[in-house]
Amino acid sequence: MTVDSKGTVRPILDMNAFDKAQAETAAPAVARRLDNLGAASVLFYREPIQMVSAAGAWMTAADGRKYLDFYNNVPSIGHSHPEVVRAVADQMARLNTNTRYIVDVVDAYLEALKAKLPAALSNVVLTCSGSEANDLALRVARKATGGTGVIVTENAYHGNTAFVTEVSPSALKRGSLPDYVVAIPTPSQENYGPDIAEGFTASLRAAIAELDKRGLRPAALIVDSIFSSDGIFADPPGFLRPAVQAIRDAGGLFIADEVQPGFARTGDAFWGFARHGVEPDIVTMGKPMGNGFPMAGMAARPDHLAAFCTDVGYFNTFGGNPVAAAAGAAVLRVIEAEGLQDNARDTGRYLLDRLSALADTDPRVAAVRGAGLFIGVDLCDPSRDMAPDPDFAVQVIDGFKARGVLIGAAGRFGATLKVRPPLCLTREEADQFADALADILA
Ligand SMILES: Cc1ncc(COP(=O)(O)O)c(C=O)c1O
């Protein structure tokens, strides 16, 4: 693909996807899938993989090939973790129902989860997806502030409901954002120079002024606190603090979308926002929360939630069911028992060092950055003034696949490798990844 001179944003779901124009010549299993899902089908790779099982950091395909999974942060404590499997099976065999009955496992889980959150966010609404959690968070923020404006980053993704699609610039294939949404540049050195905190805050203030020009007040600044789809920007720690103050000064709330960085991935803390020394007004979470069991949630202040609930009720048939609670509780126990946050920090640092060494010797690796086991690797074309090189990224991704490693891309141009293995990753597996990249580059 080519990136036009205006710097077209590449829709997130198009990155490293199977090209449906090739449907005619597709393998029978692929054609069957396209038949079933139609235009909504999104498959990884030019030659999609048929998977049959997975355990730990490894997935097994129908042809017997094993792949090291560096892509998927849902099975974050390891694919098919036996403790989660057991907890889900036991609870499913005993009782599964909705939150209109009192079931001890649900309250015990909520208390364990709240122990990880800022004390002020003492009400948690459980949902089935991160999209639902963000949708609810934005509605709560609108009610709490009386504002309607939403400020996001330029390549943000916050989910798939009608509302959150509107605040997800990276989901747009055409058209523009609605009036109430202002997107600000990614917090990168490239955009802001050395003082990212000051530059990002200035952008936020300009966005607030832009809303004001449109006759709107801000309801919220919502960010994925590790800026995954923007290309992974964790540093310097604390850069979000003045922006959080600025949105509050303007009457808006700060929503931390922890769907990607939450649950110990960044190593230094359990949540991505903690790296910045801020306490969000609302926290949303999902993906790794149930290690594959679909569950998500929103934590808010009781007064904010109460204000929202005076206008409309909120009930989610499957959200917070006892099986989800059992899965979530098992995830929290395993993170603790297996020391996965420490492993994310230590193995993440080891991997970052190995990848940085490659950047030192190969000009096509423009930058390596991240926190814990969430690392971004920028690929560029040195012959075009170090321009981001999405075509090269696709070649590298295919090279990884040929070497039995699964990986995806992120960022405005899809030229950043999104390195996001399970938190149980061993040093040997980290070496395997770094060796594969060295081999591909060679
Ligand atoms: C940062 C972020 N927020 C929200 C979502 C939406 O979560 P879900 O797909 O569970 O609805 C995603 C999904 O990729 C995400 O990356």
Side-chain angles (χ1 to χ4, degrees), residues 12 128-132 134 157-160 164 223-224 228-229 257-261 284 286-287 295-296 420:
I12 193 164
C128 307
S129 70
S131 303
E132 287 179 316
N134 281 331
Y157 181 75
H158 295 294
N160 62 17
V164 293
V223 300
D224 161 354
S228 333
S229 55
D257 178 341
E258 292 290 325
V259 166
Q260 294 275 359
T284 58
K287 287 193 195 277
M295 61 184 297
R420 207 177 44 176

Side-chain angles (χ1 to χ4, degrees), residues 6 13 50 55 59 68-69 75-76 79 88 150 160 170 211 213 227-228 258 278 300 306 324 339 354 361 393 440:
K6 292 189 249 30
L13 292 174
Q50 190 173 354
M59 302 186 76
L68 184 56
D69 186 3
S76 180
H79 282 275
V88 166
V150 179
N160 62 17
S170 78
L211 285 172
K213 248 200 285 175
F227 301 89
S228 333
E258 292 290 325
V278 293
R354 281 227 47 199
T361 54
I440 294 162

Side-chain angles (χ1 to χ4, degrees), residues 19-35:
D19 178 1
K20 282 179 234 159
Q22 309 300 319
E24 301 261 295
T25 53
V30 175
R32 180 184 178 200
R33 171 59 66 86
L34 296 176
D35 255 9

Side-chain angles (χ1 to χ4, degrees), residues 83-92 94-96 103-110 126 289-290 293 295 320-334:
E83 184 142 349
V84 178
V85 173
R86 205 163 28 245
V88 166
D90 286 354
Q91 188 59 48
M92 193 71 179
R94 192 173 313 121
L95 169 71
N96 199 21
V103 182
D104 184 56
V105 68
V106 175
D107 291 287
Y109 173 59
L110 289 172
L126 293 173
M289 192 175 187
F293 193 91
M295 61 184 297
N321 68 71
V323 176
V331 169
L332 295 181
R333 281 197 305 274
V334 170

